[in-house]
Amino acid sequence: MNANALLDFTGLPRFNAITSADVQPAISELLAQARALVEQLTTGNVAATWNDFAAPLADGIERLSRAWGIVAHLHSVNDIPEWREAYNGMLPAVSRFYAELGQNLKLFASYKVIRESTEYPQLSLARRRIVDNEIRDFRLSGAELPEEKKPRFQAIQEELAHLAAKFSENLLDATNAFAEIVSDEAELAGLPDDVKQAAREAALKDAEAGVPASWKFTLHMPSYLPVMQYADSRRLRAAMYRAYATRAAEFGPSELDNTPLILRILELRREAAQLLGYNNHAEVSLVPKMAESVAQVLAFLRDLAIKAKPFAERDIAELRDFARQELGLETLEPWDVGYASEKLLQARYAFSEQDVKQYFGEEKVLAGLFHVVETLFGVRIKPDSAPVWHEDVRFFRIEEQVGGNSMPNAEKDAHAGELIGQFYLDLYARETKRGGAWMDEAIARRRVAGHASVGIQKPVAYLNCNFSRPVGSRPATFTHNEVSTLFHETGHGLHHLLTRGEELGVSGIHGVEWDAVELPSQFMENYCWDWGVLQQMTAHVDTGAPLPRALFDKMLAAKNFQSGLQNVRQLEFSLFDLLLHSDFDPAGNRSILDLLAEVRREVAVIVPPEWHRLPNSFSHIFAGGYGAGYFSYKWAEVLSADCFAAFEEAGDPFDPVTGKRFLDEILSVGGTRPALDNFRAFRGREPQVDALLRHSGMIPA
Ligand code: ZN
């Protein structure tokens, strides 16, 4: 065994031996080795073939990414000073290495030689796809441009990066610049006590001692949202709404106005797209995505809008009636919508999260989850043991089941009991753990030359959540939302673990288009809304009774509450984003707000006031990497709902034939094949929006 446990690649990570002191020497050595390898592959007389170039490059980089993956993982789940220091100490060097790799034109040249060679048509589908993806990514970063155009392209990228950062800074500064000081306690009516308390503390922090009592509200979410949702004072809601809706716009200080930045970003994105040979930025954005064309996405969004709009109109009519009759609001203003909705939700569909939680004990939930996975995909999940980073962590193995689904038919029984993959489960929140829930890979599945036994390196995943731990002798219990999160992350985990990929670059979730990555995760969420599954998966911690049907019906109604409104709102953002980056000329006569008004006439049912400046705070698309990609949220939801509908059509959420097809055509294929081909192979047709509508309670009369 290697003295530095981070440099041991023979098996599972040695969490019982790895220390933060190992990081600097191990990662430095691996970086040096990787650099030397790149140097050797690009300067010597190395033939640009799969075996002499692409395979050794993948092997060499994998060692670095595996070791760095362990360091990053430990930084996320055990963020104590020495791990934070170890991680941050090496982060710049690791980032620099990957950035250089993406700009190395000699690597690009070698991939192009393979692409043009007689070897290429002989390569497996997976290897051809890796070569194609590499070339695509180099091209999109400008590697193919004629020398005289490269400096301009580079300058555009730099200016865009600067503009994106400035956009975010302006928005944050404008958000911080506003405060609403309330000095009349009566204006706090309706607000939860903790919100009032926080507002009081914020005011005290600013004020001189002895200043009369006041409360400070800001545009940050923990202050803004409760006001819009709970404050009885219409004046307070209206003031906060207006401030929020006009951030970083022409009404405030000109140095914080994002309007000129937006125009410049749109201009530069268009120019960069045209340098690359495309008409507009939307076309560039779609190149590495699952969606095939702007026209296809527009048709998809408009189809969904036409079908969802009647339900949004129904939602808003219901809300208007309720607001008039129960709240005395004759006209429903935009700053009343959140407030009235909260009151309506409480009046019609209220239930206690705490009551629900008593039915979802940890062991019952895990047994239910594993049963779903085992039944659908013909595998067995068993407890396993391995060194772990914390005593809370559990470890499991997935094996082939006799007659299971995960092997091609002819082979399956011969492989019963064979190891498929393993995963760590770290369920509880800790002070030293990053927030949220996520799946990460420890080891990816691939064929390894000269590897012992069958030559396949088995995949290993980390599933991390932040649920509450058991208190006293009572088992841990989860909210339904937490259960849904666990199913979601398990879906990502299965994408990684049940892959049959043998090439690193397209195995598991590697190489999967980002608008398709959420398909397996959202697909799995459907099972925690299935009544049959819930009956098996729930038992009251005191009485042992399963979840009552009446409670489930309320949960379902609350889940689908105002789904029409929510859908058209997301469609408004998606359509606006896509049209802005395809059918809009920054130098033309039509303004951005004109375009937004057109989109709203088409899809929206709530039209904000004329002074509302949505674009000025739309950081997803101007500062967050979602430019001409905001539609991905809806796209992935539609795909996962449509996949689950295949099981409903078969009359059984566990239909074995459909389960095998989902495994064969989507889950196990990973990035080997374009995601739209995977979908078509599974569904036998193009994606349709109907299942999403039905699952959200939008069923045409
Ligand atoms: Zn996800």
Side-chain angles (χ1 to χ4, degrees):
M1 278 200 215
N2 199 305
N4 188 323
L6 261 182
L7 291 172
D8 183 353
F9 299 99
T10 54
L12 294 167
R14 287 166 52 198
F15 288 113
N16 50 348
I18 297 168
T19 69
S20 56
D22 294 331
V23 175
Q24 196 276 335
I27 300 299
S28 301
E29 184 180 330
L30 291 169
L31 278 170
Q33 285 174 5
R35 281 221 160 78
L37 174 71
V38 171
E39 187 71 13
Q40 181 221 326
L41 291 176
T42 51
T43 49
N45 294 321
V46 173
T49 63
W50 183 268
N51 285 335
D52 292 335
F53 168 75
L57 183 61
D59 285 341
I61 307 293
E62 189 201 17
R63 290 159 58 86
L64 173 64
S65 67
R66 258 175 76 173
W68 183 246
I70 293 170
V71 177
H73 174 69
L74 286 170
H75 173 246
S76 302
V77 295
N78 188 24
D79 189 6
I80 55 175
E82 66 244 44
W83 272 107
R84 182 178 297 193
E85 201 182 308
Y87 174 79
N88 287 328
M90 291 310 294
L91 180 63
V94 173
S95 308
R96 198 178 327 122
F97 171 77
Y98 283 107
E100 283 167 13
L101 209 58
Q103 295 296 323
N104 190 323
L105 295 181
K106 290 175 181 166
L107 295 178
F108 178 48
S110 296
Y111 282 116
K112 278 202 296 187
V113 171
I114 298 180
R115 180 70 184 80
E116 299 308 321
S117 70
T118 52
E119 184 193 14
Y120 179 81
Q122 319 290 327
L123 291 175
S124 67
L125 187 63
R127 290 179 177 181
R128 290 207 300 269
R129 194 145 165 86
I130 290 170
V131 172
D132 292 349
N133 287 353
E134 290 287 350
I135 292 173
R136 173 198 73 194
D137 292 345
F138 275 112
R139 277 194 178 134
L140 290 180
S141 57
E144 189 95 298
L145 289 173
E147 284 310 316
E148 72 275 12
K149 289 185 174 167
K150 278 185 180 167
R152 177 62 195 147
F153 188 83
Q154 207 44 47
I156 293 174
Q157 299 309 317
E158 280 162 26
E159 192 179 345
L160 278 171
H162 171 75
L163 287 165
K166 188 79 178 104
F167 186 99
S168 297
E169 286 167 20
N170 284 353
L171 187 58
L172 182 62
D173 290 350
T175 303
N176 288 334
F178 176 86
E180 178 75 17
I181 308 294
V182 171
S183 46
D184 177 4
E185 195 166 2
E187 269 217 300
L188 306 179
L191 286 170
D193 285 341
D194 60 332
V195 176
K196 287 194 263 191
Q197 180 68 25
R200 180 81 190 110
E201 277 162 21
L204 281 172
K205 232 170 108 183
D206 287 1
E208 306 282 320
V211 167
S214 62
W215 292 263
K216 178 181 173 181
F217 294 93
T218 72
L219 299 180
H220 291 282
M221 283 300 126
S223 184
Y224 178 74
L225 277 184
V227 169
M228 300 314 292
Q229 216 173 348
Y230 300 110
D232 293 336
S233 163
R234 207 179 195 187
R235 187 213 65 82
L236 180 60
R237 293 200 310 268
M240 295 281 282
Y241 177 91
R242 183 170 178 123
Y244 191 80
T246 54
R247 286 174 302 159
E250 73 271 29
F251 314 107
S254 64
E255 69 273 17
L256 298 184
D257 185 1
N258 274 338
T259 313
L261 274 59
I262 290 170
L263 284 168
R264 184 73 183 144
I265 289 169
L266 291 172
E267 246 171 48
L268 290 173
R269 282 179 178 167
R270 171 172 287 231
E271 187 186 346
Q274 290 175 349
L275 280 171
L276 292 173
Y278 297 92
N279 289 310
N280 54 56
H281 180 68
E283 289 180 5
V284 177
S285 159
L286 292 189
V287 174
K289 291 192 176 74
M290 172 181 178
E292 288 175 323
S293 69
V294 175
Q296 183 195 38
V297 181
L298 284 175
F300 157 78
L301 294 172
R302 290 189 157 129
D303 178 34
L304 188 52
I306 287 169
K307 290 172 172 159
K309 200 171 177 183
F311 295 93
E313 279 161 349
R314 189 194 65 184
D315 288 343
I316 198 76
E318 183 189 26
L319 190 64
R320 282 205 176 97
D321 287 349
F322 177 81
R324 191 168 46 242
Q325 287 160 17
E326 307 292 328
L327 306 174
L329 297 171
E330 276 312 312
T331 53
L332 189 72
E333 300 291 350
W335 43 91
D336 298 328
V337 171
Y339 175 76
S341 297
E342 176 62 27
K343 292 275 182 283
L344 176 60
L345 180 68
Q346 290 307 322
R348 300 269 161 88
Y349 312 110
F351 63 89
S352 154
E353 277 285 352
Q354 283 308 311
D355 287 350
V356 172
K357 210 177 160 177
Q358 303 311 309
Y359 292 92
F360 292 98
E362 175 174 338
E363 292 312 316
K364 194 79 181 166
V365 168
L366 285 187
L369 169 65
F370 292 172
H371 178 71
V372 169
V373 174
E374 291 177 341
T375 316
L376 274 176
F377 305 124
V379 296
R380 279 273 166 265
I381 301 179
K382 295 179 176 169
D384 202 349
S385 63
V388 294
W389 54 91
H390 190 278
E391 58 185 11
D392 289 347
V393 180
R394 305 171 70 171
F395 189 64
F396 297 91
R397 60 192 281 119
I398 306 182
E399 293 176 355
E400 293 291 347
Q401 190 186 112
V402 179
N405 259 344
S406 69
M407 280 279 159
N409 278 326
E411 289 178 57
K412 63 185 180 185
D413 285 347
H415 288 272
E418 192 176 286
L419 176 68
I420 297 174
Q422 293 158 293
F423 60 97
Y424 302 88
L425 188 59
D426 187 356
L427 285 176
Y428 311 137
R430 287 189 298 275
E431 265 182 21
T432 53
K433 196 188 207 177
R434 181 180 113 196
W438 70 98
M439 189 286 289
D440 218 339
E441 64 170 68
I443 300 174
R445 187 182 200 270
R446 58 179 304 212
R447 186 168 290 280
V448 186
H451 193 278
S453 73
V454 287
I456 293 290
Q457 171 178 292
K458 301 295 168 87
V460 181
Y462 308 112
L463 301 185
N464 309 289
C465 302
N466 268 283
F467 303 160
S468 37
R469 62 177 58 250
V471 182
S473 59
R474 284 170 77 87
T477 55
F478 305 142
T479 65
H480 186 260
N481 198 23
E482 288 172 338
V483 174
S484 175
T485 298
L486 180 62
F487 274 66
H488 180 103
E489 297 308 330
T490 302
H492 285 307
L494 293 172
H495 209 180
H496 177 68
L497 293 167
L498 298 188
T499 185
R500 293 182 195 134
E502 299 193 351
E503 300 290 346
L504 195 57
V506 289
S507 153
I509 56 176
H510 293 209
V512 175
E513 297 93 322
W514 79 321
D515 46 348
V517 164
E518 296 297 332
L519 196 167
S521 52
Q522 295 184 351
F523 169 80
M524 287 300 294
E525 287 179 35
N526 286 290
Y527 286 87
C528 51
W529 287 104
D530 182 87
W531 176 235
V533 171
L534 282 172
Q535 282 170 291
Q536 297 301 315
M537 194 167 66
T538 52
H540 194 281
V541 283
D542 296 323
T543 67
L547 186 74
R549 178 75 208 202
L551 186 50
F552 173 66
D553 287 341
K554 281 189 179 175
M555 291 161 64
L556 202 57
K559 166 183 174 256
N560 292 338
F561 178 62
Q562 293 187 340
S563 55
L565 274 181
Q566 283 159 20
N567 266 282
V568 296
R569 189 171 155 80
Q570 289 298 311
L571 290 168
E572 173 188 329
F573 295 165
S574 304
L575 260 182
F576 172 61
D577 166 43
L578 197 64
L579 290 170
L580 198 57
H581 289 102
S582 58
D583 183 27
F584 179 78
D585 178 2
N589 286 328
R590 185 172 61 158
S591 77
I592 292 173
L593 292 174
D594 291 339
L595 173 68
L596 182 55
E598 282 170 35
V599 168
R600 282 177 174 155
R601 273 195 293 279
E602 186 180 342
V603 301
V605 298
I606 299 174
V607 178
E610 175 276 321
W611 40 258
H612 196 289
R613 291 292 178 269
L614 166 74
N616 297 53
S617 60
F618 202 173
S619 32
H620 266 84
I621 68 167
F622 295 119
Y626 274 82
Y630 196 84
F631 73 88
S632 303
Y633 289 109
K634 271 293 147 211
W635 183 264
E637 268 184 64
V638 164
L639 297 176
S640 53
D642 203 3
C643 285
F644 188 68
F647 290 84
E648 296 174 315
E649 285 159 23
D652 176 3
F654 294 104
D655 179 60
V657 176
T658 314
K660 176 161 167 49
R661 203 166 67 239
F662 187 75
L663 179 66
D664 288 348
E665 303 295 358
I666 293 183
L667 214 45
S668 68
V669 181
T672 311
R673 189 169 63 176
L676 197 57
D677 292 354
N678 294 351
F679 184 92
R680 287 176 182 136
F682 170 65
R683 212 60 177 97
R685 58 161 173 74
E686 300 294 305
Q688 289 175 5
V689 302
D690 307 74
L692 173 74
L693 293 165
R694 189 160 42 77
H695 294 161
S696 320
M698 291 186 272
I699 301 158

